Amino acid sequence: MKRWLLSVVVGIALLATPAWAEQKIKVGIAAGDGDIVWANVREIAAKDGLDLTVVVFNDYLLPNAALDAGDLDANAFQHRPFLENQIKTRGYKITPVGETIVAPIGLYSRKVKALGEIRDGASIGIPNDPSNGGRALLLLQAEKLIKLKDGVGISPTVLDVTDNPRKLQLREIDAAQLPRSLDDLDAAVINTNYAVPAGLLPGKDSIAAESAVNNPYNNFIAVRERDKDAPWVSKLVRAYQNDTIRQLIKDTLPGQIPAF
């Protein structure tokens, strides 16, 4: 009788265990996007029944390809203009589900200390992907180094440059390679997650930077469209969007600002 009762109790306990109790979720991030932050997200998520594995990528194109292929369950590395371009060119069915950070892009140089010192004909590196390349061009326009065609929106290309009074040589280079290419350039527009690991601190080493106010380049957690309403998604977002992670971003990620 006791053995039967024990079996019933165990059976009830198993039935009461939620299906997501130890759900394994794999999240892709870009190098420099806060390993410490995501280690803490992992701990918070574990309390809600999610077992997170964080995969670091050194190429902006790979996390969405991996998510689309099912090798990841989510990623957190991109802003909307980048995802919109990826959807347009590659047909991904990926959608944002929760804001993370905004990291104003900056212009860096090891040859000059101020914008006014940039010489005529200087070589300026910009990211070669459409969204971040456009972002770089908008920064150069904001600093009056170039002028872009009216109405180009937030994704201009070098073909949209209508005025280049200093005859700057705009060199499109893979975003991850820009810090290594800086010695061969007069200046380069570099994403914060690549600048910081290279020892370039936004505000301290940048000679120009985007404004963080009304910045359209907030990063976010993204998942496949078919998963957006899955219970684990809201738990993952909640594990990131909280006061603990907000403070950790401020303390450990130079140049990055919580976007939630």
Side-chain angles (χ1 to χ4, degrees):
M1 182 66 174
K2 289 182 180 179
R3 184 176 298 173
W4 179 81
L5 286 173
L6 179 60
S7 298
V8 171
V9 171
V10 170
I12 292 173
L14 289 172
L15 288 172
T17 302
W20 44 261
E22 293 184 352
Q23 185 163 2
K24 296 182 182 298
I25 300 297
K26 191 176 290 187
V27 181
I29 67 171
D33 265 354
D35 295 350
I36 295 174
V37 168
W38 276 95
N40 280 262
V41 173
R42 187 178 188 278
E43 291 181 5
I44 295 169
K47 297 174 183 177
D48 216 357
L50 298 183
D51 181 4
L52 296 189
T53 297
V54 178
V55 182
V56 180
F57 292 85
N58 290 301
D59 184 313
Y60 280 154
L61 299 179
L62 297 179
N64 279 335
L67 178 57
D68 182 71
D71 296 324
L72 297 175
D73 300 293
N75 63 40
F77 78 103
Q78 63 192 321
H79 48 65
R80 278 176 173 77
F82 184 86
L83 177 59
E84 288 168 1
N85 178 266
Q86 289 266 285
I87 290 172
K88 179 179 179 180
T89 59
R90 298 171 183 254
Y92 294 146
K93 296 187 181 301
I94 296 172
T95 188
V97 291
E99 306 293 315
T100 55
I101 55 96
V102 59
I105 205 168
L107 178 66
Y108 298 86
S109 176
R110 292 199 173 105
K111 297 181 179 177
V112 302
K113 299 295 184 183
L115 282 172
E117 298 176 11
I118 294 178
R119 63 182 177 86
D120 288 357
S123 57
I124 308 295
I126 64 173
N128 67 355
D129 63 276
S131 60
N132 286 304
R135 187 179 183 183
L137 292 171
L138 289 171
L139 174 59
L140 296 178
Q141 175 174 253
E143 299 298 338
K144 304 188 185 315
L145 294 173
I146 61 171
K147 183 173 175 54
L148 297 167
K149 186 187 306 179
D150 290 339
V152 293
I154 60 174
S155 297
T157 72
V158 292
L159 298 177
D160 295 314
V161 177
T162 59
D163 192 17
N164 185 358
R166 299 194 193 183
K167 296 180 171 51
L168 302 176
Q169 300 175 48
L170 301 176
R171 295 182 54 188
E172 298 176 281
I173 299 171
D174 180 77
Q177 299 302 318
L178 281 168
R180 299 177 188 174
S181 303
L182 196 54
D183 287 337
D184 299 321
L185 301 165
D186 290 286
V189 182
I190 304 175
N191 293 80
T192 297
N193 66 301
Y194 289 136
V196 172
L200 301 168
L201 297 179
K204 179 177 180 293
D205 298 313
S206 56
I207 58 176
E210 285 177 337
S211 170
V213 179
N214 297 321
N215 192 303
Y217 299 100
N218 286 1
N219 283 15
F220 48 80
I221 297 169
V223 301
R224 290 180 293 276
E225 287 182 357
R226 66 175 182 266
D227 292 331
K228 65 180 181 179
D229 296 320
W232 63 264
V233 172
S234 60
K235 296 177 189 302
L236 176 60
V237 172
R238 189 161 59 241
Y240 194 103
Q241 293 183 350
N242 55 72
D243 290 340
T244 297
I245 299 303
R246 182 180 289 110
Q247 190 60 49
L248 197 59
I249 292 169
K250 294 177 181 177
D251 293 342
T252 65
L253 298 181
Q256 301 191 25
I257 301 165
F260 55 91

